[in-house]
């Protein structure tokens, strides 16, 4: 689903490595959040009053008996280069069955000058943040998307998409598939070569729970709420989720060797 960047330019390798890191961290966040949902149902973290949307999402919880919607959540750098493809995808949908949210660069507006598909007009978040590739701001941007989408009680499935994702099936197939499943879809695997776990993340994120996977996931409403309401896992990521380890000046050239070796793994 994601575009592979052409290989050998070192700057791009670093960028790609950053992307991989973001994917890893996002999934680890989701995974830990899901685990918390299953194993500690009475999260006692106080509900911050500075985030009114959370309170609204709580109130709207429970069963919804209208037509359920899929919320398509696009995390974009600027525009959506594949808008024409998604446009024809949504043309075969019922407008009552889906909603669209886009997190793009702050101030970037989707209108006739920036997109070829009117499905995307004005669908950008107004509170989007500057995302630094490979850092926890990526997770925060995803949380903003989920938080906005939770404000509509009709949204019952939440699909996170990159600006290079393409639909492989038609709308009605995807709608039926996601709606008939009572599970979220999250990619997760153990990467034996992974050396990015920071011991200080423990005990909030224990080493044996550390996983890698794609951040492009599909969530049930209850799981989206867990991620948006989380005040335990994200702060740990904010602290330890950096684009790459800080340079150890004592090691000199060894830093560079380490970086390029890591990049080769991808
Ligand atoms: C959507 O795709 C499914 C499976 O590929 C197919 O059976 C169905 O006819 C398609 N529906 C429409 C409306 O094109
Ligand atoms: C829209 O939702 C309704 C009710 O859930 C469903 O019957 C219908 O097939 C959906 N339309 C499409 C195009 O998937």
């Amino acid at each position: 689903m994601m575009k592979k960047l052409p290989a050998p330019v070192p700057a791009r390798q670093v960028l790609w490595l950053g992307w991989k890191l973001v994917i890893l961290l996002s999934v680890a966040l989701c995974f830990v959040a899901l685990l918390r949902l299953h194993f500690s149902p009475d999260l006692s973290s106080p509900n911050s009053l500075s985030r009114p949307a959370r309170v609204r999402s709580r109130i709207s919880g429970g069963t919804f008996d209208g037509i359920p919607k899929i919320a398509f959540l696009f995390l974009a750098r600027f525009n959506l280069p594949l808008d024409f493809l998604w446009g024809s995808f949504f043309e075969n949908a019922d407008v009552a069955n889906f909603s669209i949210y886009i997190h793009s660069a702050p101030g970037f507006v989707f209108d006739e000058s920036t997109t070829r598909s009117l499905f995307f007009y004005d669908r950008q978040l107004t509170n989007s943040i500057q995302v630094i590739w490979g850092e926890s701001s990526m997770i925060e941007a995803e949380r903003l998307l989920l938080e906005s989408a939770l404000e509509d009680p009709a949204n019952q499935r939440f699909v996170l998409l990159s600006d290079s994702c393409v639909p492989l099936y038609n709308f009605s197939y995807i709608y039926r598939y996601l709606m008939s499943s009572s599970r979220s879809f999250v990619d997760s695997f153990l990467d034996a070569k992974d050396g990015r776990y920071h011991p200080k993340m423990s005990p909030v994120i224990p080493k044996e729970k550390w996983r890698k996977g794609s951040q492009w996931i599909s969530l049930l409403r209850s799981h989206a709420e867990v991620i948006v309401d989380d005040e335990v896992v994200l702060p740990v990521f904010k602290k330890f989720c950096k684009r790459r380890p800080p340079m150890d000046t004592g090691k000199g050239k060894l830093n560079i060797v380490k970086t390029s070796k890591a990049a080769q793994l991808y």
Side-chain angles (χ1 to χ4, degrees):
M1 294 252 261
M2 286 192 52
K3 219 167 32 185
K4 284 246 156 59
L5 294 169
V9 190
R12 287 195 175 182
Q13 277 186 0
V14 170
L15 199 69
W16 182 235
L17 177 64
W19 263 104
K20 285 285 185 179
L21 200 62
V22 162
I23 290 169
L24 164 76
L25 294 167
S26 308
V27 165
L29 172 73
C30 295
F31 189 75
V32 174
L34 292 181
L35 282 173
R36 286 192 64 89
L37 174 78
H38 286 298
F39 297 122
S40 48
D42 59 7
L43 285 177
S44 52
S45 53
N47 218 348
S48 156
L49 288 174
S50 62
R51 302 180 73 119
R54 284 184 191 186
V55 180
R56 239 172 295 154
S57 79
R58 282 265 169 80
I59 291 165
S60 68
T63 49
F64 171 78
D65 51 352
I67 293 180
K69 288 182 192 170
I70 298 179
F72 291 86
L73 313 175
F74 290 90
L75 191 56
R77 277 162 272 214
F78 295 100
N79 64 335
L80 291 170
L82 300 173
D83 52 1
F84 63 98
L85 232 167
W86 285 101
S88 42
F89 173 80
F90 289 124
E91 250 161 41
N92 294 310
D94 294 323
V95 286
N97 291 25
F98 71 93
S99 55
I100 295 173
Y101 301 80
I102 312 167
H103 186 289
S104 189
F108 190 93
V109 174
F110 282 77
D111 58 21
E112 64 279 6
S113 68
T114 54
T115 179
R116 289 162 284 187
S117 169
L118 46 82
F119 289 110
F120 295 114
Y121 284 11
D122 252 351
R123 297 313 305 155
Q124 70 282 342
L125 300 191
T126 51
N127 59 345
S128 67
I129 55 166
Q130 191 64 52
V131 169
I132 300 169
W133 306 112
E135 298 206 353
S136 60
S137 52
M138 177 74 92
I139 303 168
E140 290 181 73
E142 294 189 344
R143 250 160 66 117
L144 288 171
L145 281 166
L146 291 168
E147 189 174 60
S148 276
L150 279 170
E151 287 179 39
D152 181 352
N155 288 327
Q156 295 292 317
R157 298 291 184 277
F158 302 77
V159 182
L160 277 161
L161 298 160
S162 79
D163 54 10
S164 55
C165 284
V166 296
L168 297 179
Y169 293 90
N170 59 32
F171 183 88
S172 50
Y173 184 91
I174 290 176
Y175 184 83
R176 267 226 333 250
Y177 194 99
L178 291 183
M179 286 306 170
S180 60
S181 169
S182 56
R183 290 170 189 261
S184 291
F185 294 89
V186 181
D187 180 32
S188 168
F189 64 95
L190 252 179
D191 181 5
K193 287 183 192 153
D194 182 77
R196 296 195 204 96
Y197 177 76
H198 197 302
K200 286 196 178 146
M201 289 177 163
S202 181
V204 175
I205 305 171
K207 190 166 197 299
E208 63 273 17
K209 298 274 163 44
W210 187 254
R211 295 292 184 279
K212 188 170 179 173
S214 166
Q215 80 201 96
W216 313 116
I217 56 181
S218 163
L219 297 174
L220 304 177
R221 190 173 173 92
S222 58
H223 291 165
E225 283 175 345
V226 170
I227 291 175
V228 168
D229 290 346
D230 163 57
E231 281 166 359
V232 177
V233 178
L234 186 59
V236 177
F237 273 86
K238 274 189 191 159
K239 213 164 159 193
F240 297 108
C241 172
K242 301 289 178 215
R243 198 158 159 168
R244 55 177 179 171
M247 290 286 238
D248 181 348
T249 43
K251 282 189 182 169
K253 261 190 170 175
L254 279 174
N255 281 305
I256 300 164
V257 173
K258 201 174 166 196
T259 306
S260 58
K261 193 175 160 203
Q264 277 165 16
L265 295 176
Y266 303 96

